[in-house]
Amino acid sequence: MAETRDRIIVATNELFRRHGYNGTSLSQISEAANATIGSIYHFFPGGKEALAVAVIETTGTIYRELFESIAREAPDPASAYVDFFAGAAAVLEESDYIDPCPIGTVAREVANTSEPLRIAAAKIFDSWINAVTQHLVEAGVCTEQAAELGQVFVATVEGMFVLSRTQRSTASLESAGRSLGQLVTQAIDDTTRTPTS
Amino acid sequence: MAETRDRIIVATNELFRRHGYNGTSLSQISEAANATIGSIYHFFPGGKEALAVAVIETTGTIYRELFESIAREAPDPASAYVDFFAGAAAVLEESDYIDPCPIGTVAREVANTSEPLRIAAAKIFDSWINAVTQHLVEAGVCTEQAAELGQVFVATVEGMFVLSRTQRSTASLESAGRSLGQLVTQAIDDTTRTPTS
DNA sequence: GTCTATACCAAGATAGAC
DNA sequence: GTCTATCTTGGTATAGAC
């Protein structure tokens, strides 16, 4: 059995994906993680908020690495984005449309009420945008446009999670993959036509 | 002073935008709306959930009409989308980055725990997608591609609200406007080159 | 339609034995 | 590190006078 601290984080992650931050109680976490509330406070003296920060940071890192892995293995830059949305669609269907990403859910809930959580989420979003920007720059897109597409990609991912979860359908995720792929392809073409280097 | 029922809905809308569904209590609503909890249950015998359905439906209708209004006044189809994001950016800055849309927040929180709320939100999203689809079809885009762009637009709007609220910045909204405008422009060009009618 | 009072329960957090 | 017990506060919802 995994370490207690890890079990707490994993259980909290899944409960946040299902019920959000305010909809998840410490007693639920305690039960799902097979750890007492005393244990939770032992590892996270800052309570629920500190635990949530840890969940955001660990999950955020995993997702950045997932994107980088998909990007590395994609046959060409544009298809990395199509593949990412296809993967997300599979996760949603297999998980009965539980939210794939606790970060967006929590961030939207508490952005006006918890600065520690807002800032933790903002840093993760920045790291994702940077990963995409770097990927596109390596594909030949100029820095400015790459950063812009990075923002649009992250927003589209988060927005698609809201939409597909609410509609209980993954149809829209395919549309998103195609649209993002098209934007990336066009960005690469544009740069090729008017090279700055 | 507005009717009590209206005051309750308006106050709940704003509290949901700030604190989400589970983060908003009936006592807060009671205070903000200047109505007793007894009054809330008088108008919404179904309690908090029924009140939330009413908030989603009224707000959703207002936003659809807002889009249609912007689309009607835009000089050309693509700039409707740029204008929409520009308007959203202004709202965010003026409101200290309160969420412009309670529907996405609530939907993401409770999609797995309240079927009435999930379904209410899904219907509103559908109505927005249909409004965009119709707008693009009138601009000459084929139905299939118009529907696809409608989904991408709604997702990008919702995702950008998450992102800009978390980052407390509207920079990414401009990127979104440009990207959506580009996708729409290209869709119109494509259709013009290979007309189906 | 609106009011006060309250029932009932679960929340986050803490204390202190082991 | 983990346990049980408990404190305090606040939640949704209801009852019944006016």
Side-chain angles (χ1 to χ4, degrees):
Chain A
M1 202 178 212
E3 297 267 338
T4 305
R5 202 190 116 103
D6 290 342
R7 289 204 317 277
I8 293 170
I9 289 186
V10 169
T12 306
N13 177 301
E14 189 164 326
L15 285 164
F16 280 178
R17 289 169 54 195
R18 217 179 274 270
H19 306 123
Y21 180 78
N22 288 311
T24 301
S25 71
L26 290 182
S27 61
Q28 282 177 295
I29 294 170
S30 165
E31 189 184 346
N34 215 340
T36 63
I37 290 189
S39 283
I40 296 176
Y41 275 91
H42 171 75
F43 290 107
F44 303 98
K48 192 182 181 180
E49 192 176 52
L51 168 55
V53 168
V55 168
I56 287 174
E57 286 170 352
T58 58
T59 308
T61 304
I62 289 170
Y63 271 105
R64 183 179 47 74
E65 288 168 354
L66 173 65
F67 168 77
E68 288 168 348
S69 161
I70 289 175
R72 227 180 353 256
E73 288 170 23
D76 61 280
S79 58
Y81 300 87
V82 179
D83 293 350
F84 189 92
F85 280 101
V91 168
L92 270 156
E93 279 170 2
E94 284 163 18
S95 71
D96 192 39
Y97 291 92
I98 295 175
D99 203 311
C101 175
I103 302 169
T105 314
V106 173
R108 199 164 181 181
E109 268 188 272
V110 303
N112 284 104
T113 49
S114 167
E115 274 296 280
L117 288 176
R118 183 188 73 75
I119 289 169
K123 281 184 185 162
I124 294 299
F125 285 156
D126 278 345
S127 80
W128 293 354
I129 292 168
N130 285 338
V132 173
T133 304
Q134 193 185 335
H135 174 245
L136 291 176
V137 166
E138 285 168 9
V141 179
C142 74
T143 308
E144 194 182 352
Q145 200 174 358
E148 197 163 303
L149 283 172
Q151 292 170 334
V152 171
F153 172 69
V154 171
T156 308
V157 167
E158 290 294 328
M160 276 295 167
F161 289 169
V162 180
L163 195 56
S164 62
R165 208 160 120 65
T166 304
Q167 299 185 319
R168 293 185 72 84
S169 159
T170 55
S172 49
L173 286 171
E174 294 169 35
S175 310
R178 271 191 292 273
S179 293
L180 259 296
Q182 181 182 334
L183 284 170
V184 168
T185 302
Q186 186 144 13
I188 294 173
D189 288 356
D190 284 358
T191 312
T192 309
R193 267 201 285 275
T194 57
T196 51
S197 58
Chain B
M1 201 178 212
E3 298 266 339
T4 304
R5 201 191 118 104
D6 290 342
R7 288 203 318 276
I8 293 171
I9 288 186
V10 169
T12 306
N13 178 302
E14 189 164 327
L15 285 165
F16 281 177
R17 289 169 54 193
R18 217 179 273 268
H19 306 123
Y21 180 78
N22 289 312
T24 300
S25 70
L26 291 181
S27 61
Q28 282 177 295
I29 294 170
S30 163
E31 190 184 347
N34 215 340
T36 63
I37 291 190
S39 284
I40 296 176
Y41 276 91
H42 171 74
F43 289 108
F44 304 97
K48 193 181 181 182
E49 192 176 52
L51 168 55
V53 168
V55 168
I56 288 173
E57 286 171 352
T58 57
T59 308
T61 304
I62 289 170
Y63 271 106
R64 182 178 48 72
E65 289 168 354
L66 174 66
F67 168 78
E68 288 168 346
S69 161
I70 290 176
R72 224 180 354 255
E73 288 170 23
D76 60 281
S79 58
Y81 300 87
V82 179
D83 293 350
F84 189 92
F85 281 101
V91 169
L92 270 156
E93 279 170 2
E94 285 163 17
S95 71
D96 192 40
Y97 291 93
I98 296 175
D99 203 312
C101 174
I103 302 170
T105 314
V106 173
R108 199 165 181 181
E109 269 187 271
V110 304
N112 284 104
T113 48
S114 167
E115 275 295 280
L117 287 176
R118 184 187 72 75
I119 289 169
K123 281 184 185 163
I124 294 299
F125 285 156
D126 278 343
S127 80
W128 293 354
I129 292 168
N130 285 339
V132 173
T133 304
Q134 192 184 335
H135 174 244
L136 291 176
V137 166
E138 284 168 9
V141 179
C142 72
T143 309
E144 195 183 352
Q145 200 173 358
E148 196 164 303
L149 283 173
Q151 292 171 333
V152 171
F153 172 69
V154 171
T156 307
V157 167
E158 289 295 328
M160 275 298 167
F161 289 168
V162 180
L163 194 56
S164 62
R165 208 160 119 66
T166 304
Q167 299 185 320
R168 292 184 73 85
S169 158
T170 54
S172 49
L173 285 171
E174 294 170 35
S175 310
R178 271 191 292 273
S179 294
L180 259 296
Q182 183 181 331
L183 284 171
V184 168
T185 302
Q186 186 144 12
I188 294 172
D189 287 356
D190 286 357
T191 311
T192 309
R193 266 202 286 275
T194 57
T196 50
S197 58

